[in-house]
Amino acid sequence: MRDKLLNNWKLKLLAFVIAFFMWFIIVNTDNPEQTKTFTDFKVEDIHGETLRENGMEYKKTGNDVVNVTIKAKRETMRKISKADITVVADMRELTAKSLVPLEVIVKGYEDNESVIATATPGNLLVEIENQTTQSFPLTPSPTGEVSSGYVLLEGEMKVEPESIKFQGAESEIGNIGKVAAEVNVTGLSKETTLPAKIRVYDHNGEEMDMTTLTTTTKDEDVKVTVKLLHKKKVPLNFDVSEIKVKEGYHNGGISYEPKEIEIAGTKEVINKIEQIDIPASALKTEELTEKTEYTVDITKYLPEDVELVDKNMGSVVVTVTVDEPGTKRMEVATSAITAVNLNNGLAYEFAKDVNVEIILKGEENALEKISTLTGKVVVDLIEFTEPGTYMVPIQVNDLPTGITYKEISIEITISESVEENNG
């Protein structure tokens, strides 16, 4: 019986088949096949030079961010992370002039048929265009702030090289509006040459993806030289000796904005400057009978080797106040106006923080003696008991006998006080 069993090949084959299936079931039970999806992979396009060699260029028109699904044994899947996965579009595989099949590469399992990886979507949509080349000027673009007390002369920044050449699809090249050499000037206090970063912007000022463009100029090839000067705030001083008013009228003086400007120059030069003197010829007038405004270009009166920090501050508006016979105009800041009789639980503020013009009337001799209205201008808020915005009459007290003023009002906002709200 024993020999019969040992020599029965059919029985042996059956035993082998049963053993194989039992092994297969055990293996797959302990190490089953799994499917897992990884998301948000940016497609890397490769071998684009095959198109460029034929004078063509491509532009991505479809979604180039895809998901990847991997099918593998559990033990293998445990070893695969997102960092191991790359999705590429090989331009040599372009079909129908618009579709490039996507290939998923799993690091360490490139030739392992037991690991199946697919991308969704499975193709990259591209558009084929003629290739073109064009040069663009490199514009310096500083970021950050230089050290306190210094000013960066943006107009004198120099870029080397001065231009950059890009190759790409006609539509991409035509979309370039500006190429910047971005340089960080934070904390600088002297003239310096710095490395720059190339940034490309479209005509709307939006930064473009440089991976769609080809250039032989790299970031490390671009340098920007920046020039710094010391800066200082100084007042303006106008000579008013040539301002003439008609006989019988009163020269009420001048007002102007800004009252001080910020200048730049070498430390040796600007340390010697205490003010900017504007000569009498800048305001030479005759027979004035009313308030008159003049725009004075102060840049022509700056000392040699000195410039404005803000080039837009070169024009100063000067107002010459002229009073009719028997009148005098005086300006009072809102901060110098006193509010009286404010009701409990209320607060106030002036709607506009501007100077108020007070017009006085009376004998010339008496008007000449009035040099200030400080402490004399008030608003009485006794009648205003509810929050709101009101036009409140201005009162001028303690004027000399025979002197009156033109009635005017000022806009004031009444609100509940903070203390009252907290209570």
Side-chain angles (χ1 to χ4, degrees):
M1 180 69 178
R2 180 173 175 274
D3 292 338
K4 185 176 183 180
L5 289 173
L6 292 175
N7 295 322
N8 191 331
W9 65 270
K10 293 181 180 180
L11 189 59
K12 290 181 180 179
L13 178 61
L14 178 61
F16 174 79
V17 171
I18 292 173
F20 174 80
F21 277 106
M22 288 181 69
W23 172 84
F24 182 81
I25 291 171
I26 291 171
V27 168
N28 281 276
T29 300
D30 290 342
N31 189 23
E33 196 168 59
Q34 293 183 336
T35 300
K36 185 176 181 180
T37 298
F38 299 83
T39 61
D40 299 329
F41 290 89
K42 179 108 174 144
V43 176
E44 298 180 17
D45 40 303
I46 60 175
H47 299 305
E49 67 277 3
T50 57
L51 292 172
R52 299 186 187 105
E53 289 170 358
N54 295 309
M56 306 298 288
E57 190 57 82
Y58 65 93
K59 180 175 67 173
K60 300 175 187 177
T61 57
N63 188 7
D64 64 347
V65 177
V66 300
N67 297 333
V68 171
T69 299
I70 293 182
K71 190 175 183 180
K73 295 293 185 180
R74 181 172 62 187
E75 291 302 320
T76 301
M77 191 72 78
R78 287 176 178 173
K79 301 175 184 178
I80 298 174
S81 68
K82 185 174 181 178
D84 299 320
I85 304 171
T86 305
V87 182
V88 299
D90 190 338
M91 292 302 148
R92 295 175 300 183
E93 305 299 325
L94 176 68
T95 61
K97 295 186 177 180
S98 63
L99 293 176
V100 183
L102 299 181
E103 178 185 358
V104 180
I105 301 172
V106 182
K107 185 178 180 181
Y109 299 93
E110 292 87 344
D111 300 319
N112 193 327
E113 295 182 358
S114 66
V115 177
I116 301 173
T118 56
T120 305
N123 295 285
L124 177 67
L125 187 62
V126 299
E127 183 178 306
I128 304 302
E129 296 184 36
N130 289 328
Q131 186 186 86
T132 188
T133 301
Q134 186 174 332
S135 292
F136 296 88
L138 270 169
T139 303
S141 177
T143 64
E145 297 291 335
V146 297
S147 294
S148 177
Y150 292 85
V151 60
L152 173 67
L153 300 181
E154 294 191 28
E156 297 187 27
M157 296 177 70
K158 295 182 179 179
V159 184
E160 181 63 38
E162 295 181 349
S163 63
I164 185 172
K165 186 179 292 185
F166 283 112
Q167 185 181 74
E170 288 181 343
S171 62
E172 288 292 297
I173 297 296
N175 198 32
I176 297 176
K178 173 185 174 182
V179 183
E182 185 180 278
V183 61
N184 188 350
V185 300
T186 300
L188 290 186
S189 58
K190 62 180 180 179
E191 182 173 326
T192 311
T193 298
L194 299 169
K197 181 175 180 59
I198 303 169
R199 294 193 181 277
V200 182
Y201 299 89
D202 63 20
H203 294 286
N204 295 320
E206 297 293 330
E207 188 169 4
M208 295 175 60
D209 182 4
M210 284 187 59
T211 60
T212 62
L213 304 168
T214 302
T215 179
T216 57
T217 304
K218 298 179 175 59
D219 286 343
E220 54 266 29
D221 299 325
V222 181
K223 300 290 186 291
V224 177
T225 301
V226 297
K227 182 179 179 182
L228 302 180
L229 291 176
H230 286 262
K231 65 179 181 179
K232 179 181 182 181
K233 281 187 177 181
V234 292
L236 296 173
N237 178 45
F238 284 90
D239 185 337
V240 297
S241 61
E242 292 295 326
I243 298 178
K244 308 297 182 183
V245 299
K246 189 173 182 179
E247 186 176 353
Y249 286 76
H250 174 72
N251 183 348
I254 67 171
S255 60
Y256 51 91
E257 288 294 338
K259 288 185 170 51
E260 61 179 11
I261 57 173
E262 203 166 25
I263 58 173
T266 63
K267 185 176 182 179
E268 294 74 20
V269 170
I270 67 172
N271 278 350
K272 299 176 183 177
I273 301 172
E274 298 302 325
Q275 64 183 24
I276 302 299
D277 293 314
I278 312 300
S281 57
L283 293 175
K284 185 175 182 179
T285 58
E286 294 183 5
E287 300 291 307
L288 289 182
T289 60
E290 59 184 8
K291 179 192 288 188
T292 307
E293 286 189 352
Y294 298 93
T295 300
V296 180
D297 179 8
I298 63 170
T299 58
K300 63 179 71 174
Y301 306 116
L302 294 176
E304 187 177 359
D305 297 326
V306 172
E307 58 187 87
L308 293 175
V309 171
D310 185 349
K311 300 299 187 293
N312 296 320
M313 300 297 287
S315 296
V316 176
V317 177
V318 180
T319 301
V320 179
T321 300
V322 178
D323 301 320
E324 299 175 7
T327 66
K328 185 172 184 176
R329 299 172 186 267
M330 302 185 72
E331 288 195 349
V332 178
T334 53
S335 59
I337 300 176
T338 304
V340 298
N341 298 323
L342 178 65
N343 289 277
N344 290 335
L346 297 178
Y348 79 95
E349 64 177 351
F350 295 99
K352 297 179 181 179
D353 186 18
V354 294
N355 290 351
V356 177
E357 185 179 70
I358 306 294
I359 301 177
L360 303 178
K361 296 182 179 182
E363 293 292 332
E364 287 291 330
N365 290 338
L367 290 173
E368 287 289 342
K369 297 177 181 178
I370 302 174
S371 59
T372 179
L373 294 178
T374 301
K376 299 180 180 181
V377 182
V378 300
V379 286
D380 191 343
L381 304 179
I382 188 66
E383 297 181 5
F384 306 98
T385 59
E386 298 291 335
T389 300
Y390 306 95
M391 295 301 296
V392 182
I394 288 179
Q395 301 174 11
V396 185
N397 299 328
D398 302 325
L399 290 173
T401 302
I403 301 298
T404 61
Y405 62 90
K406 182 179 179 180
E407 293 184 359
I408 59 171
S409 296
I410 188 169
E411 189 175 7
I412 295 179
T413 299
I414 306 292
S415 60
E416 294 183 359
S417 65
V418 175
E419 292 81 1
E420 184 71 13
N421 288 331
N422 291 338

